[in-house]
């Protein structure tokens, strides 16, 4: 993956953003994840332009649109929008919508699978010791499949010094798909992951 972008201030609270992205994906021959043409790789290129605006110091939004190309299927118009808020210092909220290709494997790209993603996230710091991050996500795929997902990740500060800051916590990750399809992505009905986390 590679990307580059330029932000151009229009006004103090508004910025014009222009960017380009590349994704080069590879898979082993015979894995079932290779390009439907039989090659091991596939590339996605995306050119986009967006506007970010701060309505107030604590509320901001962004919209973007562009064009993405993949092998076999060609290109489509892609777009997205985000809205973020920080009503108080201890709470951050965000919601986002995005329409793009599913960039998971050469097979998913060469099949031209598109995804529409709606997601929300909450970050809460009830005091100086604890931080809780929770998010939810729903994807609608152009191959007829659907995906849901959720993350819950609390952590606690254990070391605060002049040179070292350490937080320890746990993270739960859950997701699942409506159907099992052969479109080049892992699609379990119910996946669960629990891990210990550290932040420095």
């Amino acid at each position: 993956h590679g990307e580059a972008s330029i932000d151009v201030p229009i006004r103090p609270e508004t910025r014009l953003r222009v960017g380009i992205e590349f994704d080069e994906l590879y898979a082993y021959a015979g894995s079932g994840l290779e390009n439907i043409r039989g090659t091991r790789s596939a590339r996605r290129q995306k050119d986009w332009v967006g506007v970010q605006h701060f309505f107030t110091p604590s509320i901001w939004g962004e919209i973007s649109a562009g064009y993405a190309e993949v092998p076999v299927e060609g290109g489509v118009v892609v777009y997205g929008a985000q809205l973020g808020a920080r009503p108080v210092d201890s709470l951050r909220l965000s919601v986002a919508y995005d329409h793009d290709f599913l960039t998971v494997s050469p097979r998913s790209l060469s099949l031209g699978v598109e995804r529409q993603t709606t997601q929300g996230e909450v970050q809460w710091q009830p005091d100086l010791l604890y931080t809780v991050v929770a998010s939810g996500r729903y994807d609608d795929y152009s191959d007829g499949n659907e995906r849901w997902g959720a993350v819950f990740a609390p952590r606690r500060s254990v070391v605060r010094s002049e040179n070292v800051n350490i937080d320890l916590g746990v993270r739960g990750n859950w997701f699942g798909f409506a159907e099992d399809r052969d479109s080049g992505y892992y699609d379990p009905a119910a996946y669960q992951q629990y891990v210990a986390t550290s932040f420095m």
Side-chain angles (χ1 to χ4, degrees):
H1 176 78
E3 62 180 273
S5 63
I6 298 174
D7 288 10
V8 181
I10 300 175
R11 294 187 297 179
E13 68 277 9
T14 307
R15 292 186 297 172
L16 176 68
R17 309 187 67 206
V18 180
I20 185 171
E21 298 179 14
F22 294 94
D23 288 286
E24 192 80 30
L25 279 69
Y26 296 87
Y28 289 109
S31 66
L33 301 176
E34 62 268 44
N35 193 313
I36 60 173
R37 289 176 171 172
T39 59
R40 293 182 52 214
S41 65
R43 168 181 267 204
R44 165 188 168 271
Q45 178 179 331
K46 174 182 174 182
D47 306 296
W48 59 271
V49 60
V51 176
Q52 185 182 63
H53 180 74
F54 283 84
F55 302 99
T56 71
S58 59
I59 301 176
W60 63 272
E62 182 175 349
I63 58 172
S64 64
Y67 188 76
E69 285 188 289
V70 297
V72 183
E73 292 295 318
V76 298
V77 174
V78 293
Y79 46 88
Q82 292 180 296
L83 182 64
R86 190 173 184 177
V88 292
D89 289 342
S90 61
L91 183 64
R92 294 184 183 181
L93 309 170
S94 67
V95 292
Y97 174 84
D98 185 54
H99 174 230
D100 204 336
F101 284 111
L102 179 61
T103 308
V104 173
S105 70
R107 182 174 180 83
S108 70
L109 283 183
S110 60
L111 286 170
V113 179
E114 300 172 40
R115 58 159 180 79
Q116 297 184 64
T117 299
T118 304
Q119 58 185 348
E121 182 176 284
V122 177
Q123 180 173 310
W124 179 44
Q125 293 179 289
D127 53 39
L128 296 177
L129 291 178
Y130 291 94
T131 301
V132 179
V133 178
S135 65
R137 171 173 173 165
Y138 170 77
D139 292 353
D140 187 14
Y141 292 170
S142 62
D143 65 355
N145 215 347
E146 301 175 28
R147 178 191 187 274
W148 60 268
V151 172
F152 183 70
R155 65 180 189 263
R156 185 187 190 281
S157 170
V158 293
V159 176
R160 284 291 183 269
S161 69
E162 184 177 343
N163 299 316
V164 179
N165 295 327
I166 300 177
D167 290 4
L168 298 179
V170 294
R171 175 186 171 96
N173 181 25
W174 305 268
F175 68 85
F177 288 81
E179 299 182 26
D180 181 9
R181 293 186 175 272
D182 185 23
S183 296
Y185 55 87
Y186 179 50
D187 49 7
Y191 175 86
Q192 302 179 55
Q193 179 192 54
Y194 306 96
V195 295
T197 61
S198 63
F199 296 82
M200 299 183 66

